[in-house]
Amino acid sequence: MPVLAYLWIIPVLPLLGAGANGIFGGRWPKNVISAVALSSTALSFLAVLEVVREFMGLPAGQIPAHISYFTWISAGPFRADFALQVDQLTVVMLLVVTGVGLLIHIYSTGYMHDDPGYRRFFSYLNLFMFFMLVLILAANYLLMFVGWEGVGLCSYLLIGFFFLKQSATNAGNKAFWVNRVGDFGFLLGVLLIFRTFGSLDFSVVLPRATSMPADPAGQIGTLTTIALLLFVGAAGKSAQLPLYVWLPDAMEGPTPVSALIHAATMVTAGVYMVVRSHAIFLNAPLAMQVVGVIGCATALFAATIGLVQTDIKKVLAYSTVSQLGYMFLACGVGAFGAGIFHLMTHAFFKGLLFLAAGSVIHAMGGEQDMRKMGGLRKKIPVTFWTMFMATLAIAGAPGFSGFFSKDEILNEAQRVSPVLWGLGVLTAGLTSFYMFRLLFLTFFGSQQYDEHKVHVHESPKNMTVPLIILAVLSVCGGWMAAPQLMGGVNHFEQFLAPVLATAGASAAPAAESSGSGGEILQALLGAPVIAGLLGFLLAWWFYIKSPETPKKLAESLSAPYKLLSGKYFIDELYAAVFVRPLVWISNKVLWHTVDERVIDGAVNGVAFVSRESGDRLRHANTGNIRSYATWIVLGVLVFTSLLLWMVD
């Protein structure tokens, strides 16, 4: 049976796992819950591998493989099918989501083993996999929106997983509301797509968008409006300025959640949606500029905040925001293939960084403050070496996965805007600094914890094996682009070229590279590599060679330090401008005025009038026959007078 004809199997398997554990798991031991969760995800991964095998054998005329299973909605001229499709872009996303997702599921069996919400956790995690796979496989914008909202729901549930902690519930609510702002923009964009193209199917919308004339530069036409609305949704889901504020707080969830949802998969949904809609964006020059500028600004902004954070997960959270900015920078300069390339490599090394951070927290008995760690290198060697590999990858060390994807983004940015390129290189240096700062504070120097209270130990194999696999991918995950340095082909770009055929230089075959020795030397000694090296050396000097320097520097530059440690006080600004006024309006106007005085007042007023009227009528019932006769006579006279008046 060709799995390619039954694509629905891929998302349904995790859904069955979520349902089984959610409904029946209360009676099952943990090993059965684990088996259900892992087997459903593993079978989905195996189905993806089979789909990829079958897909690679398809002739070009049958790509994308589009399968419509039934008509989902039909209303007048509107029609939406439950339809799934597979093309080269889908293949990359499926492998990343199911492959990394499976490793994180395995890791979670060790990390969450003693948690009382074990069954609930895996049920939510499987449900997230279902919605994320629907988002990726969807063949139209409406079905993509269902997956989009579903992953938002699962994010809310998993961020607030420890619901007895007020900070966790607050973080879940914050993520929910901020994402609703972005989702509203996305929904408006989808509605405008239907109004413009008469369909929501990718196979109809994207070719028509390609054939439409581009909006004039600097002007907001229909395509620009659509692109900007879609980008609002992407900015919410992928934590870009100004809607990034939910992601750092999302670290309240369990660490595997941070790795799966907020590093490797969900937050990249916005990047995937923009790349999927690249035909619209390419004909909207103003929108492309907005995407590039906001992506670059977000990358630099979040990197500066990450310089001074002391919570190990918060450093990685702001790093995620920054790296997502790199992906949007790539999209903004037309390098859509490079954006997806960095999405993939980021899933490897950032997923590993979060899981390794979880291993450190596990070893430290729940401690997340890096200032209370130190000297862990020899006590948890597997965690250290794997995290070291991931740090080299995110810093862009030559030969590691991040080197190839980040270098490609910056090369494309340099062709479009030297300013964006310069800020991107600066961000690369800051990234190297704060990541090696994290590594040095955590694993080097003297230990800052009490061994009598904290019994440091390496994590079990079901946690360390996923670390090792992700470490291998962090090293070699970018090698598909390596031949380009020697005059060969960037195999990743070549693979995506049919999907991004209209994306100009980004989709052009990489074989045009001359591959001279000078070009290789330029790549190995280029500005991004030098910036990364300077970041490493500065971190080494501050936290190994002269560890008293950071404190002195913070004291001498107290104002900038407070600004960065306070995260530019954006949360406080939003609270003053949006949250408190809305709470006041809800409390004083909507509740006390509209609800209590108007609505409740009207209801209570009707009851009061009825009660008073009934009371007065009750007193008229005296039991006196003469009184009744008098009222009857008066009534007859009044009624007769009215009749005579109407006759006249």
Side-chain angles (χ1 to χ4, degrees):
M1 178 186 72
V3 178
L4 196 57
Y6 298 91
L7 290 174
W8 56 267
I9 292 175
I10 296 174
V12 163
L13 285 167
L15 179 63
L16 292 176
N21 276 330
I23 298 171
F24 307 108
R27 302 177 182 178
W28 294 342
K30 287 184 178 179
N31 60 338
V32 176
I33 294 172
S34 301
V36 170
L38 293 182
S39 61
S40 63
T41 309
L43 288 173
S44 182
F45 176 62
L46 292 175
V48 167
L49 293 179
E50 175 59 22
V51 164
V52 172
R53 187 191 69 81
E54 295 175 13
F55 175 83
M56 299 304 272
L58 289 178
Q62 297 182 21
I63 298 175
H66 181 285
I67 303 171
S68 179
Y69 294 100
F70 56 86
T71 300
W72 177 26
I73 300 174
S74 180
F78 178 76
R79 174 189 171 94
D81 292 348
F82 184 87
L84 305 179
Q85 73 170 33
V86 174
D87 59 12
Q88 290 83 352
L89 179 58
T90 313
V91 164
V92 174
M93 294 298 297
L94 284 175
L95 289 172
V96 169
V97 170
T98 57
V100 176
L102 176 59
L103 293 175
I104 294 173
H105 274 70
I106 296 171
Y107 176 95
S108 300
T109 59
Y111 190 88
M112 300 296 293
H113 184 267
D114 297 325
D115 194 279
Y118 192 81
R119 171 181 67 93
R120 180 166 54 92
F121 176 82
F122 277 103
S123 182
Y124 291 167
L125 217 58
N126 277 173
L127 186 64
F128 165 80
M129 291 289 290
F130 163 71
F131 281 118
M132 189 67 198
L133 291 169
V134 168
L135 189 157
I136 294 169
L137 287 165
N140 58 66
Y141 281 101
L142 190 61
L143 189 58
M144 174 189 275
F145 187 72
V146 171
W148 188 276
E149 290 296 292
V151 295
L153 166 66
C154 294
S155 176
Y156 164 76
L157 294 173
L158 287 164
I159 292 170
F161 181 79
F162 300 120
F163 56 83
L164 296 179
K165 290 174 58 180
Q166 186 63 48
S167 58
T169 56
N170 289 343
N173 290 332
K174 187 176 184 179
F176 181 85
W177 285 111
V178 173
N179 273 276
R180 296 292 74 72
V181 175
D183 295 352
F184 181 65
F186 184 23
L187 183 58
L188 290 178
V190 171
L191 294 175
L192 188 54
I193 286 173
F194 177 73
R195 181 181 177 183
T196 304
F197 299 100
S199 175
L200 294 179
D201 291 343
F202 298 144
S203 59
V204 175
V205 173
L206 300 181
R208 290 183 184 176
T210 301
S211 62
M212 289 179 66
D215 290 341
Q219 296 186 21
I220 301 179
T222 301
L223 291 179
T224 301
T225 304
I226 292 172
L228 290 175
L229 288 172
L230 293 179
F231 181 62
V232 170
K237 194 68 71 183
S238 296
Q240 297 296 285
L241 288 171
L243 301 178
Y244 76 96
V245 291
W246 67 271
L247 195 145
D249 288 4
M251 298 303 107
E252 290 288 343
T255 300
V257 173
S258 303
L260 178 64
I261 294 182
H262 306 123
T265 54
M266 189 199 87
V267 292
T268 60
V271 180
Y272 168 74
M273 185 265 288
V274 169
V275 175
R276 175 62 71 190
S277 309
H278 70 278
I280 296 174
F281 281 84
L282 284 172
N283 282 338
L286 179 60
M288 291 283 283
Q289 293 175 11
V290 170
V291 173
V293 170
I294 289 183
C296 185
T298 303
L300 180 60
F301 176 85
T304 58
I305 298 177
L307 296 174
V308 299
Q309 298 301 305
T310 56
D311 185 310
I312 189 171
K313 288 179 66 177
K314 284 292 180 70
V315 174
L316 297 178
Y318 283 105
S319 173
T320 297
V321 176
S322 181
Q323 295 302 307
L324 289 166
Y326 262 114
M327 298 175 206
F328 282 108
L329 170 60
C331 295
V333 298
F336 296 100
I340 292 297
F341 193 18
H342 197 58
L343 182 155
M344 181 185 73
T345 60
H346 178 264
F348 300 151
F349 60 68
K350 185 53 65 64
L352 172 56
L353 285 169
F354 268 111
L355 294 186
S359 183
V360 171
I361 295 168
H362 179 268
M364 292 291 296
E367 182 59 63
Q368 295 184 196
D369 191 333
M370 296 183 296
R371 296 171 298 182
K372 299 179 181 179
M373 299 178 185
L376 296 176
R377 185 173 74 259
K378 295 181 179 179
K379 295 182 180 294
I380 47 175
V382 175
T383 301
F384 164 70
W385 283 108
T386 54
M387 198 168 199
F388 182 50
M389 296 297 105
T391 302
L392 289 172
I394 193 174
F400 288 78
S401 60
F403 164 76
F404 296 101
S405 57
K406 190 178 295 185
D407 191 64
E408 191 173 343
I409 292 173
L410 293 175
N411 283 340
E412 294 291 339
Q414 188 175 19
R415 298 177 186 176
V416 176
S417 170
V419 174
L420 294 180
W421 173 81
L423 294 177
V425 171
L426 174 60
T427 303
L430 297 178
T431 301
S432 178
F433 174 82
Y434 67 65
M435 285 309 306
F436 279 105
R437 170 180 176 266
L438 180 151
L439 195 75
F440 293 148
L441 284 176
T442 303
F443 294 100
F444 290 82
S446 60
Q447 64 182 46
Q448 304 298 318
Y449 56 90
D450 187 350
E451 288 190 356
H452 298 290
K453 296 181 180 180
V454 180
H455 302 286
V456 179
H457 56 285
E458 185 62 272
S459 300
K461 287 185 178 181
N462 54 352
M463 293 173 65
T464 56
V465 170
L467 297 183
I468 295 170
I469 296 174
L470 286 173
V472 173
L473 292 172
S474 297
V475 174
C476 62
W479 288 359
M480 289 178 287
Q484 186 177 12
L485 297 179
M486 297 172 287
V489 174
N490 182 330
H491 294 292
F492 189 86
E493 291 278 330
Q494 188 183 53
F495 180 70
L496 286 181
V499 179
L500 306 176
T502 59
S506 173
E512 298 175 2
S513 171
S514 63
S516 64
E519 184 176 344
I520 298 173
L521 187 63
Q522 183 181 359
L524 297 178
L525 298 178
V529 175
I530 294 174
L533 179 61
L534 291 175
F536 161 74
L537 292 175
L538 193 61
W540 174 80
W541 180 268
F542 277 10
Y543 299 100
I544 300 296
K545 182 68 175 178
S546 181
E548 70 281 355
T549 301
K551 185 177 180 181
K552 294 179 181 178
L553 192 61
E555 292 174 353
S556 61
L557 300 174
S558 59
Y561 180 80
K562 288 180 180 178
L563 185 65
L564 294 180
S565 60
K567 298 165 287 188
Y568 293 100
F569 302 102
I570 299 296
D571 285 306
E572 289 78 4
L573 176 64
Y574 283 4
V577 175
F578 299 110
V579 178
R580 283 197 287 271
L582 286 174
V583 170
W584 184 88
I585 291 172
S586 299
N587 188 23
K588 300 296 184 181
V589 179
L590 297 179
W591 177 18
H592 291 302
T593 301
V594 177
D595 190 16
E596 289 186 341
R597 296 182 183 179
V598 178
I599 299 176
D600 289 352
V603 173
N604 294 337
V606 171
F608 175 79
V609 171
S610 300
R611 185 177 67 249
E612 291 298 314
S613 300
D615 185 64
R616 292 180 182 276
L617 291 174
R618 180 175 62 82
H619 287 296
N621 187 10
T622 61
N624 190 321
I625 296 177
R626 292 180 181 179
S627 176
Y628 294 162
T630 301
W631 285 109
I632 291 172
V633 171
L634 288 174
V636 170
L637 290 174
V638 171
F639 185 69
T640 303
S641 300
L642 287 172
L643 288 176
L644 292 174
W645 177 75
M646 292 176 65
V647 170
D648 293 340

